[in-house]
Amino acid sequence: MKVAMVIPPYRYGADPSQWITVPPQGYGGIQWAVATLMDGLLEAGREILLLGAPGSPMREGITVSAAVEKADIHAAIEEFAPDIVHDHSNTAALPPGGLRPTVSTHHLKGVPERRTNGIYLSRAQRTAAGSVSAPVIRLPVNPARYQFEEKKDDYLLFLGRVSAHKGVREAAVFAHAADVPLTVAGPAWEKDYLDALLADFPHTVRYIGEVGGRARTELIARARAQLVLSQPRGGPFGERWIEPGATVVSEAAASGTPVIASDNGCLPEIVPGVGIVLPVGRDITPRDAKRVLETLPTPQAVREVAVERWGHRTIACEYLAVYKRATSGEVWM
Ligand code: UDP
């Protein structure tokens, strides 16, 4: 089976010839999801054309297309003649009309442009998209791409976009209450938000910017816990944020790092077993924070749960079953 994997082409840095690759150089949830799924599909013997990420590493079974303009992407898909097109671009990069069997993993919140043959990352995301029966397939993780550490250093970690909807301030409040330093890593496109965070928590927050490569995997593995306190309000994507899939949860768990999450969006569906879920808006006393840290699951336990639930082979099998439904002509909304 031949799979055309379509992601939105995003520029990387100031150099106009550079694109965010698969896997990404730094921040990039969609790119990590696709890299990991491709690991699983390759192990299952599938052949892949990757579109929308020029410069990504090639390996046996994967061809990386140089196309970035829509017309070129469409032409490259035609030339490859895939059995299935797997879209991750919110259908923005797809040829109109959908000549070939196509499925679309929705990576955002809200209602996708085209709902036909959608796949969602959580039930919360699917409900927000107005679907009741489309498949839910979780974000995968390839444990071989992560470092497992049983022994932790004394810091908590926030990894992601430094924005209000991701709950970085709530993470700082938690860390302050627990009296444990918080390392914040990720792009900060809303400078006012970052400045206020650093001004209000000068002794708790250490901001290190965007991370990639080994520094990233080590940072995740050595943290006592990763904070994913996503908030329903704020952020650049409109009024109400519903965390769709949260790539960082499976990555942390695969590294043996438990997760402290809010109950926003997908988080109450995926965090039990790998961490603790706290209701949005609940005040955290120092006693609460210390108790949460003491009752987190062990590194070994969260790693096992991550591999069992979200391992790349398991998730690739779930996708292959959905590809089969689409190639046999089934249509769902
Ligand atoms: N990430 C990274 N370096 C950073 C910040 C984030 O590699 O400095 C990665 C992180 O590991 C995850 C992705 O970017 O794979 C963010 O995806 P997530 O689904 O958590 O957040 P969203 O896509 O909603 O911003």
Side-chain angles (χ1 to χ4, degrees):
M1 177 187 260
K2 290 164 74 176
V3 184
M5 207 59 88
V6 184
I7 70 160
Y10 291 133
R11 291 203 183 278
Y12 177 68
D15 178 349
S17 69
Q18 295 284 307
W19 301 90
I20 299 186
T21 53
V22 170
Q25 298 89 334
Y27 173 77
I30 297 176
Q31 290 78 8
W32 267 118
V34 169
T36 316
L37 173 60
M38 293 200 315
D39 289 346
L41 293 174
L42 279 191
E43 285 185 32
R46 301 317 193 264
E47 195 189 334
I48 299 165
L49 174 68
L50 174 64
L51 297 126
S56 299
M58 296 256 201
R59 47 193 164 132
E60 209 186 325
I62 299 182
T63 306
V64 177
S65 171
V68 283
E69 300 299 335
K70 258 190 184 191
D72 298 335
I73 289 178
H74 303 170
I77 293 175
E78 274 320 295
E79 195 187 327
F80 183 61
D83 301 287
I84 184 100
V85 177
H86 188 168
D87 171 56
H88 299 265
S89 74
N90 200 17
T91 65
L94 285 186
L99 298 174
R100 295 183 179 278
T102 300
V103 296
S104 287
T105 298
H106 189 43
H107 288 272
L108 304 173
K109 72 175 185 75
V111 181
E113 192 103 322
R114 272 191 262 168
R115 284 172 50 205
T116 315
N117 289 8
I119 299 164
Y120 297 93
L121 309 173
S122 61
R123 291 188 295 277
Q125 186 204 29
R126 180 176 68 180
T127 303
S131 170
V132 288
S133 58
V136 168
I137 303 184
R138 305 295 180 187
L139 287 169
V141 69
N142 179 352
R145 288 189 183 269
Y146 290 85
Q147 183 181 329
F148 173 75
E149 281 294 344
E150 196 123 37
K151 211 176 144 304
K152 302 298 187 182
D153 290 343
D154 195 29
Y155 67 91
L156 299 169
L157 175 64
F158 172 87
L159 177 67
R161 179 178 180 150
V162 183
S163 295
H165 65 299
K166 290 288 179 178
V168 200
R169 170 168 283 272
E170 288 73 12
V173 168
F174 182 96
H176 180 72
D179 196 21
V180 177
L182 176 72
T183 298
V184 172
W189 290 304
E190 289 102 82
K191 196 176 171 308
D192 292 352
Y193 182 74
L194 174 66
D195 288 347
L197 186 77
L198 296 175
D200 293 345
F201 297 94
H203 306 298
T204 302
V205 172
R206 183 175 70 117
Y207 177 60
I208 60 169
E210 194 171 344
V211 292
R214 225 187 120 70
R216 167 181 173 270
T217 45
E218 202 167 307
L219 189 70
I220 302 172
R222 299 206 69 91
R224 272 178 73 176
Q226 190 149 324
L227 297 179
V228 190
L229 298 171
S230 304
Q231 300 294 307
R233 59 183 186 281
F237 303 110
E239 282 305 296
R240 197 178 159 73
W241 175 250
I242 295 169
E243 191 61 53
T247 321
V248 287
V249 170
S250 56
E251 297 168 349
S255 313
T257 300
V259 174
I260 299 168
S262 69
D263 59 357
N264 180 257
C266 66
L267 298 170
E269 296 172 35
I270 62 173
V271 171
V274 298
I276 284 180
V277 179
L278 304 170
V280 163
R282 193 178 115 183
D283 283 339
I284 298 288
T285 64
R287 205 158 149 252
D288 294 335
K290 289 195 174 101
R291 188 163 332 122
V292 166
L293 290 181
E294 280 159 19
T295 49
L296 287 169
T298 64
Q300 192 64 47
V302 298
R303 164 97 171 181
E304 276 166 25
V305 171
V307 175
E308 189 201 312
R309 284 187 194 163
W310 310 308
H312 60 297
R313 293 191 194 111
T314 305
I315 299 297
C317 282
E318 292 180 24
Y319 269 111
L320 286 169
V322 172
Y323 292 169
K324 201 164 166 206
R325 286 172 61 185
T327 53
S328 43
E330 207 186 314
V331 174
W332 64 86
M333 296 289 266

